Amino acid sequence: MSCLALTGGKPVRKKPFHNSVVIDGDEWRYVREVMKNKELSRFMGSPTRDIGKLLVMPSKDALNYRGQYFSFLGGKMVRRFEADFAGKLKVKYAVSVNSATSGLSTALGAAGIGPGDEVITTCLSFNATALSILMFNSIPVFVDVDPKNFCLDPRCVEKAVTKRTKAILAVHLLGNPADMDAILRIARKHRLAIIEDCAQAPGTKYKNRFVGTIGDLGVFSFQETKNITTGEGGMVITNDPGLARKARLIRNHGESVPDISWDEGSLSNIVGMNFRMTELTAAVGIAQLKKLDRNNSERLRNYRSLSKGLKGLPGLSAVELQEGVIPHVFPLIYDKAKTGVERAKVLAALKAEGIPAGSGYLKTMYDNPIFLRKIAFGKGHCPWSCHLYKAKREYKRGDCPVAEDLIKEKFIWFYHINRPNGRDDMRDVVAAFKKVFGNLAELRGRSVKTDLGYKW
């Protein structure tokens, strides 16, 4: 085997991998239409009285509605993107937002989550999952993950339920669906809402149902690294007209809509939000949604190619995809006990070969000063100090050992399985891994400067 690039050899690859942004004539056509019409956002100021049926109108019907106050639901591109998205996932309502973070907060707010309420969620996700819970002064309760799918472990969820628990926020991590049958049983038993974070899983199915359509609300991301990308943006979906109504109000300055006749439940959680998507963003989204199936099929093909090519390498195992799963990245499980080499050295060697592999998340969500020190709003430990939350909640390292072990020792992620990266690119990945794992003895005896961070 040739000398490792990390120690002066020639790297397998110098060419950078493609990012997730795949643009063609469709995006330009819709964007030009927006610019030609000079309508960058058609959301209008909210009316001062109830707008009735518009708030619960299914997205496919809202597309062509031209009655009074139609602009409360946005412009032509926004409503078309919502109608297309709802049709794709076979739900009644799709509510676009300016980010998936906003979407998660919107979904929680629509479900009536508020001060003093606990929301059970995974410890293994991007920070936005947990921070969205804080938006309405609710309390995140972190639980460990199942090592088979890296999603919520239902046994841990059940143990975490208290009289203050109001919702479960399940994350379908890396495209893998959580065990929704078990989570549904827990939710029904304790009368809890279920919100699905599908940021990394558009197109994934759980027992022939799209993720996001199983719980009460589903939330998707269109951030630049995602399977559908508009730069920033998100979508909230549901089949419940009441939840759609509240989500639309939260999204668009809903506090200016009600009159004195509204009851307390209708008024709650619609204060001061502007989570609206622009027409330009929606225009890109319309074109991107058309590419989803092709993009997903390419991710799946690249994933399978890597799984086959890396089979048999010592201390390395690919995660077997379950039926219906669309992968977001390519995760591997590394076992130092079988190689005698620290994972950080392996990652450094791969990067030197031109392969941008990483460790995934650098820490669990609770291993963040916001949670360790409970400092969110102001300096008075709000919302944990809220008089409506009559409990003591502490977060500390070691709370979720399975997730911490994955992050600190076992995860190796390769990020670029997206189109237009293809067969030749995957061959380079396989060649680099084989080169590194064929020279593990060279890594054992060397001091290597390591950096687990990775810039997408």
Side-chain angles (χ1 to χ4, degrees), residues 3 5 21 29 38 52 54 58 61 77 101 110 119 134 139 146 191 199 235 240 283 310 344 363 369 372 377 413 445:
C3 182
V21 181
R29 179 160 59 90
K38 298 181 180 179
L54 185 62
D61 297 330
M77 293 298 179
T101 310
V119 177
L134 296 177
I139 307 297
D146 185 327
R191 297 183 180 180
M235 193 76 75
D240 186 313
L310 299 180
K363 56 187 177 182
L372 294 177
F377 302 114
W413 291 4

Coordinates of all heavy atoms in Angstrom, one line a residue, residues 3 5 21 29 38 52 54 58 61 77 101 110 119 134 139 146 191 199 235 240 283 310 344 363 369 372 377 413 445:
C3 N 2.1 5.1 0.8 CA 2.3 5.9 2.0 C 1.1 6.8 2.2 O 0.6 7.4 1.3 CB 3.6 6.7 2.0 SG 3.9 7.6 3.5
A5 N -1.2 9.9 3.0 CA -1.0 11.3 2.7 C -0.7 12.1 4.0 O 0.0 13.1 3.9 CB -2.3 11.9 2.0
V21 N -26.5 21.3 -3.3 CA -27.3 22.3 -4.1 C -27.2 21.8 -5.6 O -26.2 21.9 -6.2 CB -26.8 23.7 -4.0 CG1 -27.6 24.6 -4.8 CG2 -26.8 24.1 -2.5
R29 N -36.4 29.3 -13.9 CA -37.7 29.7 -14.5 C -38.7 30.3 -13.4 O -39.3 31.3 -13.6 CB -38.4 28.5 -15.1 CG -39.7 28.7 -15.7 CD -40.1 27.6 -16.8 NE -40.1 26.3 -16.2 CZ -41.2 25.7 -15.6 NH1 -42.3 26.4 -15.6 NH2 -41.1 24.5 -15.1
K38 N -42.4 41.1 -9.6 CA -42.0 42.0 -8.5 C -42.8 41.7 -7.2 O -43.3 42.6 -6.6 CB -42.1 43.4 -8.9 CG -41.2 43.8 -10.1 CD -41.4 45.2 -10.5 CE -40.5 45.6 -11.7 NZ -40.6 47.0 -12.1
G52 N -62.1 33.0 9.4 CA -62.9 31.8 9.3 C -62.3 30.6 8.5 O -61.3 30.1 8.8
L54 N -60.7 30.3 5.8 CA -59.4 30.4 5.2 C -58.4 29.7 6.0 O -57.4 29.1 5.5 CB -59.1 31.9 4.9 CG -57.7 32.1 4.2 CD1 -57.8 31.5 2.8 CD2 -57.4 33.6 4.1
P58 N -57.7 23.4 3.2 CA -56.6 22.5 2.8 C -55.7 23.2 1.8 O -56.1 24.0 1.0 CB -57.4 21.3 2.2 CG -58.7 21.3 2.8 CD -59.0 22.7 3.0
D61 N -56.7 23.5 -1.9 CA -57.7 24.5 -2.1 C -57.3 25.9 -2.0 O -57.7 26.8 -2.7 CB -58.9 24.2 -1.2 CG -59.5 22.9 -1.3 OD1 -59.5 22.3 -2.5 OD2 -60.0 22.3 -0.3
M77 N -46.4 31.6 -5.1 CA -45.3 30.6 -5.0 C -45.4 29.9 -3.7 O -45.2 28.7 -3.6 CB -43.9 31.2 -5.2 CG -43.7 31.8 -6.6 SD -43.7 30.4 -7.8 CE -43.4 31.4 -9.3
T101 N -36.3 25.2 12.3 CA -36.3 25.6 13.7 C -37.6 26.3 14.0 O -38.3 26.0 15.0 CB -35.1 26.5 14.0 OG1 -33.9 25.9 13.6 CG2 -35.0 26.8 15.5
A110 N -48.5 25.1 18.1 CA -49.9 24.7 17.6 C -50.4 23.6 18.4 O -51.7 23.5 18.6 CB -49.7 24.2 16.1
V119 N -41.3 18.5 27.3 CA -41.3 17.8 26.0 C -40.1 16.9 25.9 O -39.0 17.3 26.1 CB -41.1 18.9 24.8 CG1 -41.1 18.1 23.5 CG2 -42.3 19.8 24.8
L134 N -37.7 25.6 23.7 CA -37.6 26.7 24.7 C -38.4 27.9 24.2 O -38.8 28.8 25.0 CB -36.2 27.2 24.8 CG -35.2 26.2 25.5 CD1 -33.8 26.8 25.5 CD2 -35.6 25.9 26.9
I139 N -39.9 22.9 28.6 CA -38.7 22.3 29.2 C -38.3 21.1 28.4 O -39.1 20.1 28.4 CB -38.9 21.9 30.7 CG1 -39.4 23.1 31.5 CG2 -37.6 21.3 31.3 CD1 -38.5 24.3 31.6
D146 N -31.6 4.6 20.6 CA -31.4 3.2 20.3 C -30.2 3.0 19.4 O -30.1 3.7 18.3 CB -32.7 2.7 19.6 CG -32.7 1.2 19.3 OD1 -31.6 0.6 19.0 OD2 -33.8 0.6 19.3
R191 N -51.6 10.4 26.7 CA -52.3 11.5 26.1 C -51.3 12.6 25.7 O -51.5 13.8 26.1 CB -53.4 12.1 26.9 CG -54.5 11.0 27.2 CD -55.7 11.6 28.0 NE -56.7 10.6 28.2 CZ -57.8 10.9 28.9 NH1 -58.0 12.1 29.4 NH2 -58.7 9.9 29.0
A199 N -36.2 16.7 9.5 CA -35.2 17.5 8.7 C -34.3 16.7 7.9 O -33.9 17.2 6.8 CB -34.4 18.3 9.7
M235 N -41.0 23.3 6.4 CA -42.4 23.0 6.2 C -43.0 22.3 7.4 O -42.4 21.3 7.9 CB -42.6 22.2 4.9 CG -44.1 22.2 4.4 SD -44.6 23.7 3.6 CE -43.8 23.6 2.0
D240 N -54.7 17.6 10.7 CA -55.6 18.2 11.7 C -55.9 19.6 11.4 O -55.0 20.5 11.4 CB -55.0 18.0 13.1 CG -56.0 18.4 14.2 OD1 -56.6 19.5 14.1 OD2 -56.1 17.7 15.2
A283 N -40.2 29.6 -4.6 CA -40.0 29.3 -6.0 C -38.9 28.3 -6.2 O -39.1 27.3 -7.0 CB -39.6 30.6 -6.8
L310 N -16.9 -1.0 1.4 CA -16.2 -1.0 2.6 C -16.4 -2.2 3.5 O -15.8 -2.3 4.6 CB -16.6 0.3 3.4 CG -16.4 1.6 2.7 CD1 -16.8 2.7 3.6 CD2 -14.9 1.8 2.4
A344 N -9.9 9.6 16.1 CA -9.5 10.9 15.6 C -8.3 10.7 14.6 O -8.2 11.5 13.6 CB -9.0 11.7 16.8
K363 N -21.2 16.9 20.3 CA -21.6 16.6 21.6 C -23.1 16.5 21.6 O -23.8 16.8 20.7 CB -21.2 17.8 22.5 CG -21.7 19.2 22.1 CD -21.1 20.2 23.0 CE -21.5 21.6 22.5 NZ -20.9 22.7 23.4
P369 N -23.8 24.8 27.2 CA -24.0 25.7 28.3 C -25.4 26.2 28.6 O -25.8 26.4 29.8 CB -23.0 26.9 28.0 CG -22.0 26.3 27.1 CD -22.7 25.3 26.3
L372 N -26.6 23.0 30.5 CA -25.8 22.7 31.7 C -25.9 23.8 32.7 O -26.0 23.5 33.9 CB -24.3 22.6 31.3 CG -24.0 21.4 30.4 CD1 -22.5 21.4 30.0 CD2 -24.3 20.1 31.0
F377 N -33.5 32.6 28.7 CA -34.1 34.0 28.6 C -33.8 34.8 29.9 O -34.2 34.4 31.0 CB -35.6 33.8 28.4 CG -36.0 33.0 27.2 CD1 -36.6 31.8 27.4 CD2 -35.7 33.4 25.9 CE1 -37.0 31.0 26.3 CE2 -36.0 32.7 24.8 CZ -36.7 31.5 25.0
W413 N -18.9 9.6 10.0 CA -19.9 10.0 8.9 C -19.1 10.5 7.7 O -18.2 11.3 7.7 CB -20.8 11.2 9.4 CG -21.7 10.8 10.5 CD1 -21.8 9.7 11.2 CD2 -22.7 11.7 11.1 NE1 -22.8 9.8 12.1 CE2 -23.4 11.0 12.1 CE3 -23.1 13.0 10.8 CZ2 -24.4 11.6 12.8 CZ3 -24.1 13.6 11.6 CH2 -24.7 12.9 12.6
G445 N 1.7 4.2 15.6 CA 3.0 4.6 16.2 C 3.3 6.1 16.1 O 4.4 6.5 16.3

